[in-house]
Amino acid sequence: MKKELYVRQICLFFIAFLPVTKIFIMPSIISQVANEDLWISVLINVILDLFVLVAILNTCRKTNKTYIQLLEDVFGKTIAKIIMFLYVLYFLLKCFISINEQKTYVQLTLYETMPSVFYFLPFFIVCIFLCNKKMNVLGRLADVSWLLTTVGFVLLLSLSFSNVQFTKLLPVGANGGLNILHGYYRANTWFGDCVYLLFFMGKFNTDKKNNVKIILSYLGACLLVVIFAIFFFCIFTSIAGRQRFALTDISKYTTVINNVGRFDYIGIFCILFSTVVSVILPPFFACYLLRKIFNSKNTWVVSSIVTGIIFIVVILLTQYYSSIENFIFNYCNTYFILMAFVLPILTPLLLKKGEKYELKEN
C-alpha cells in the first residue's frame, strides 16, 4: 500500500521547518534569563524532544495504525476526540507567538514606513490554502524548502563568524541551574516539533534503518539552532536580551555588509520562505484534527474558521499582544510540556494496550 509520505520527506521536513521559527525572538527571550547558558536551555529542549521522537518512531515501526486509531482502540472514540481537541487547542496556542513574531518582524524590518494593519493579509490567504490540502503537500514543500533553509543558515552563520567571541560562553553554568531551567521553560513554546510526527503515524513506511535517518535529520536541524544561539550570544553578549530579532541582528555588523550592502538579506529571504510554511504547521494540524473530530469533508470551511480565529487574535487584538505573550510564557508552557512531551512519549504504551484489547476482542 502506497503511503502519503516518503521517509526522505520526513527527514527533510525536520531540516526545512524545525530550525526556522527558533531564530527570531527565541534567542533574545532565553538570553534574558539564562545569559551565556542559553545554549544549554536550548539543548535541554532538544534532548527531551529526541526522547519523544524515538518513542514515536519505535511505535511507527511496530504498527501501521495512525495515532488516532490507536487512541480509539484504547480509549474509545469519545476520549480519542477529547484528546484530539486538546491537541487542537495546543496547536492554536502554539501558533500565536510564531505568527505574531513573523508579523512584527516584517512590519519593523522589511518596511521603511509603518504599513496598514492588513499588510499581513496574504499570509492568512496562504494559510487557508495550505490548511485545505492533504498531508502529502507538506512532504512536497519539504523537498523544496530544506535547501532554502540550509542556504539561509550557512550564509548567515558564515557572515557572522568573524564577530563571534566564543570565550563569552565561559564559565559554563555560571547562571545556575534554576536560570537554565527557566530558560528551558520559556523556550518550550518554540519546541515540541516532534509532536507533528504523531500525526504522520501510519502515513509513511519505516524500519530501524529509516528511523536512524530521521533521528539524524532531526539532530542536524537542532544543531543549526544550537549553533545559531551560541553565535547570537557570543556576538551581543550582555546586550543579547535586548536584541529583539536575532535573524537580522546576527550578521548586520559584518565587514562585508558594511562594504557591499545587506548581502545577508539573501539568506534572510531564504529562511523567510521556509518560515511561512513552518508557522502554518500548527493551524494545518489543527484543521486536520477538527475534520477528524467532526467527520467533516468540507475542508474549506474548517480551514477558514481556524484561520479566522488566528486572524482575530493576531491582527484585531494586536494591542493586547504583550498580555497574550506573557500569558502563554507564564501559564501555557506547562500545558505545552504535557501535550508535546508527556503524551507523545507514552505512545508505545498505547500500542501495548491496543494489542491486549485486540486479543480480548478475538
Side-chain angles (χ1 to χ4, degrees):
M1 180 179 177
K2 187 176 180 181
K3 301 290 186 178
E4 289 186 51
L5 296 166
Y6 297 101
V7 171
R8 179 196 76 251
Q9 293 174 326
I10 302 294
C11 295
L12 296 180
F13 175 88
F14 284 117
I15 296 172
F17 305 129
L18 186 151
V20 291
T21 56
K22 300 171 180 60
I23 58 174
F24 286 85
I25 68 172
M26 188 193 78
S28 174
I29 294 295
I30 305 177
S31 295
Q32 293 171 9
V33 293
N35 292 306
E36 65 266 31
D37 294 323
L38 82 163
W39 67 275
I40 303 178
S41 299
V42 171
L43 195 60
I44 292 173
N45 274 291
V46 168
I47 293 171
L48 292 178
D49 277 357
L50 179 61
F51 287 133
V52 172
L53 180 64
V54 171
I56 296 174
L57 287 175
N58 284 336
T59 306
C60 290
R61 189 168 56 86
K62 296 175 182 177
T63 182
N64 287 320
K65 292 182 178 180
T66 66
Y67 182 62
I68 296 172
Q69 289 171 337
L70 285 177
L71 290 176
E72 290 177 347
D73 287 347
V74 176
F75 301 113
K77 290 187 177 181
T78 301
I79 301 298
K81 287 184 177 181
I82 292 173
I83 295 174
M84 284 190 281
F85 183 79
L86 291 175
Y87 270 111
V88 171
L89 180 60
Y90 164 75
F91 286 129
L92 291 178
L93 287 171
K94 181 179 175 65
C95 75
F96 173 77
I97 296 292
S98 295
I99 292 177
N100 203 86
E101 71 182 0
Q102 305 310 310
K103 178 181 77 71
T104 307
Y105 178 83
V106 171
Q107 180 185 44
L108 297 180
T109 63
L110 302 185
Y111 284 88
E112 292 185 2
T113 59
M114 185 66 69
S116 69
V117 69
F118 295 108
Y119 73 96
F120 205 58
L121 187 61
F123 168 82
F124 295 101
I125 296 173
V126 174
C127 185
I128 292 175
F129 177 76
L130 284 183
C131 289
N132 184 55
K133 297 298 181 180
K134 295 182 180 179
M135 207 165 284
N136 58 1
V137 74
L138 299 181
R140 294 171 183 172
L141 286 169
D143 281 332
V144 176
S145 300
W146 77 271
L147 184 59
L148 294 173
T149 299
T150 305
V151 169
F153 267 91
V154 170
L155 185 58
L156 291 178
L157 293 176
S158 299
L159 288 173
S160 60
F161 184 79
S162 60
N163 296 325
V164 177
Q165 304 175 60
F166 290 106
T167 56
K168 297 298 181 180
L169 292 178
L170 302 175
V172 176
N175 292 278
L178 287 179
N179 285 329
I180 292 173
L181 290 176
H182 189 194
Y184 145 75
Y185 184 77
R186 299 199 76 180
N188 191 262
T189 302
W190 288 275
F191 284 87
D193 299 277
C194 293
V195 75
Y196 298 135
L197 198 65
L198 277 179
F199 307 104
F200 288 152
M201 284 180 60
K203 300 182 184 298
F204 67 98
N205 292 312
T206 188
D207 51 34
K208 286 185 177 180
K209 184 178 179 180
N210 288 328
N211 284 359
V212 171
K213 292 179 181 178
I214 293 173
I215 291 171
L216 290 176
S217 300
Y218 165 79
L219 292 176
C222 291
L223 181 63
L224 291 176
V225 178
V226 174
I227 293 175
F228 191 94
I230 290 173
F231 274 37
F232 174 75
F233 187 86
C234 289
I235 290 172
F236 294 104
T237 62
S238 60
I239 63 170
R242 298 197 295 271
Q243 302 298 314
R244 183 67 172 176
F245 293 112
L247 177 63
T248 303
D249 296 339
I250 193 171
S251 59
K252 68 181 181 181
Y253 299 112
T254 304
T255 305
V256 174
I257 291 175
N258 293 333
N259 295 332
V260 179
R262 291 306 301 267
F263 183 73
D264 60 325
Y265 268 105
I266 296 175
I268 290 172
F269 282 120
C270 285
I271 288 175
L272 284 176
F273 180 89
S274 299
T275 304
V276 171
V277 180
S278 185
V279 297
I280 291 176
L281 290 177
F284 179 92
F285 285 98
C287 290
Y288 170 78
L289 291 174
L290 283 173
R291 290 196 293 268
K292 295 292 184 180
I293 291 171
F294 296 106
N295 196 25
S296 173
K297 295 182 180 179
N298 198 328
T299 56
W300 285 105
V301 171
V302 176
S303 60
S304 297
I305 291 173
V306 170
T307 305
I309 294 172
I310 298 170
F311 176 83
I312 290 172
V313 175
V314 173
I315 301 296
L316 301 185
L317 300 181
T318 187
Q319 59 182 322
Y320 303 108
Y321 170 68
S322 295
S323 299
I324 297 174
E325 184 185 67
N326 289 332
F327 172 78
I328 291 176
F329 285 148
N330 295 326
Y331 300 104
C332 293
N333 276 342
T334 302
Y335 180 64
F336 290 169
I337 292 171
L338 172 65
M339 302 306 296
F341 176 71
V342 177
L343 290 184
I345 210 167
L346 297 177
T347 305
L349 298 180
L350 292 179
L351 180 61
K352 293 180 180 179
K353 289 182 178 294
E355 289 174 348
K356 292 179 181 178
Y357 179 83
E358 289 178 357
L359 288 174
K360 288 182 180 179
E361 288 294 313
N362 292 332

